[in-house]
């Protein structure tokens, strides 16, 4: 199982990119929509299909307080697209005000990943825009615990000067946070989202001092289908530029995740150190 978390310094492209990676994962996958500002997959990509307030991230706060999150976690996963249970979704918050109740849930979610490991599912985390308090990543108002324990963290940056400049302080903050509180700054890399007349990826990488781990070229038709729902099956064809590049991105993501597990093995694997022997609430 590989856990890859996506976050941005400026709003835009995280959910579409996370959807593309989840749909293009090499085997089974779960998209965990942990954006504190609220989830958009159900009303957008799924166009409200099968939507119910009884299922989703906000319900896990109640389960965490009652000590039953481990038992009910799997019940809050729904098919991501159609009836295909090999691609599942943990729907996000329905109201940003619910984020204040999630403080105790983020760490417990990390403990829940072994439920998915038995399925051989990779986890794609949509963490939305980084939430910063007093110059530090907020551990209360954002899923910092999940970011810190992910195998790979992708800072999503649109290839525009505006996004690159806005992402620079967040890139430095994330690298420092992962080094001090996570499993190391080497988990962090860039996912570049192409724009017309975009500056070269090499220049962005040099400016932000991070390697490019994934690069999605300009593909407005597929991006629109992922953001607002497909109008036809052809829009989500595996031959589309975006999904094809998302599929190939897993090679580098998986390679980095495996390399990091080997490096961390003497201490403990990233997720093993969190849940080993403790269980939920232990």
């Amino acid at each position: 199982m590989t856990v890859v978390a996506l976050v941005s310094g400026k709003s835009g492209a995280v959910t579409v990119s996370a959807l593309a990676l989840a749909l293009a994962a090499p085997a089974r996958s779960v998209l965990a929509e942990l954006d504190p500002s609220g989830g958009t997959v159900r009303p957008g990509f799924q166009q409200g299909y099968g939507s119910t307030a009884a299922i989703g991230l906000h319900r896990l706060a109640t389960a965490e307080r009652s000590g039953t999150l481990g038992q009910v976690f799997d019940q809050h996963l729904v098919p991501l697209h159609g009836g295909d249970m090999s691609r599942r979704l943990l729907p996000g918050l329905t109201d940003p005000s619910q984020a204040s109740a999630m403080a105790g849930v983020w760490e417990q979610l990390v403990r829940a990943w072994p439920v998915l490991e038995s399925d051989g599912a990779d986890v794609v985390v949509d963490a939305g825009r980084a939430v910063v308090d007093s110059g530090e990543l907020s551990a209360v108002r954002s899923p910092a615990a999940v970011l810190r324990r992910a195998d790979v963290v992708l800072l999503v940056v649109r290839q525009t000067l505006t996004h690159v400049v806005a992402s620079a302080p967040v890139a430095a903050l994330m690298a420092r946070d992962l080094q001090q509180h996570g499993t190391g700054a080497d988990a962090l890399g860039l996912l570049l989202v192409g724009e017309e007349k975009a500056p070269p990826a090499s220049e962005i990488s040099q400016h932000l001092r991070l390697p490019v781990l994934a690069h999605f070229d300009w593909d407005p038709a597929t991006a629109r289908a992922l953001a607002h729902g497909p109008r036809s099956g052809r829009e989500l064809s595996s031959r589309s530029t975006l999904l094809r590049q998302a599929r190939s991105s897993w090679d580098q993501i998986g390679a980095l995740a495996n390399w990091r597990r080997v490096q961390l093995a003497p201490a403990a694997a990233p997720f093993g150190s969190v849940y080993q022997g403790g269980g939920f609430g232990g």
Side-chain angles (χ1 to χ4, degrees):
M1 178 180 73
T2 295
V3 179
V4 53
L6 281 66
V7 65
S8 72
K10 185 175 177 62
S11 298
V14 174
T15 298
V16 166
S17 299
L19 266 166
L21 285 172
L23 290 170
R28 303 173 69 86
S29 65
V30 170
L31 173 58
E33 203 176 12
L34 308 188
D35 187 343
S37 68
T40 58
V41 173
R42 280 195 284 191
F45 177 67
Q46 294 185 333
Q47 298 179 297
Y49 177 77
S51 180
T52 170
I55 291 176
L57 180 63
H58 64 292
R59 293 294 183 182
L60 295 184
T62 302
E64 187 273 332
R65 288 192 292 271
S66 65
T68 61
L69 190 149
Q71 289 72 48
V72 305
F73 175 76
D74 200 50
Q75 300 171 19
H76 289 271
L77 302 179
V78 299
L80 178 58
H81 184 45
D84 183 6
M85 288 302 290
S86 69
R87 315 286 180 192
R88 292 180 290 172
L89 169 72
L90 172 62
L93 301 177
T94 57
D95 185 334
S97 66
Q98 295 165 340
S100 60
M102 299 299 297
V105 177
W106 306 126
E107 185 72 39
Q108 292 294 323
L109 279 175
V110 177
R111 297 172 182 249
W113 299 149
V115 175
L116 306 175
E117 191 165 19
S118 61
D119 269 351
D122 293 317
V123 181
V124 180
V125 175
D126 175 357
R129 185 175 181 177
V131 179
V132 180
D133 284 334
S134 302
E136 301 292 336
L137 188 65
S138 174
V140 175
R141 298 192 299 118
S142 75
V146 177
L147 290 166
R148 290 165 179 170
R149 294 296 171 181
D151 296 302
V152 176
V153 179
L154 297 177
L155 180 65
V156 181
V157 179
R158 288 187 181 274
Q159 283 185 264
T160 68
L161 182 59
T162 300
H163 274 256
V164 172
V165 170
S167 298
V170 178
L173 179 149
M174 288 298 306
R176 183 175 68 251
D177 186 273
L178 291 174
Q179 189 63 37
Q180 294 177 351
H181 306 293
T183 58
D186 57 359
L188 183 63
L190 298 175
L191 189 162
L192 298 183
V193 178
E195 298 281 352
E196 292 182 299
K197 299 180 180 178
S202 58
E203 291 184 9
I204 297 174
S205 176
Q206 184 176 14
H207 180 75
L208 297 180
R209 300 182 180 180
L210 290 173
V212 177
L213 298 179
H215 191 179
F216 297 164
D217 287 328
W218 178 251
D219 184 359
T222 307
R224 184 220 157 274
L226 292 173
H228 305 293
R231 290 173 291 191
S232 71
R234 289 177 297 178
E235 290 180 304
L236 295 181
S237 166
S238 60
R239 290 177 292 182
S240 72
T241 297
L242 179 51
L243 293 180
R244 178 170 45 80
Q245 291 180 330
R247 185 167 59 252
S248 64
S249 295
W250 277 102
D251 292 337
Q252 191 159 352
I253 291 169
L256 176 59
N258 290 334
W259 179 84
R260 298 193 69 248
R261 288 192 194 100
V262 171
Q263 301 303 309
L264 292 163
F271 287 88
S273 62
V274 175
Y275 65 76
Q276 189 172 28
F280 287 90

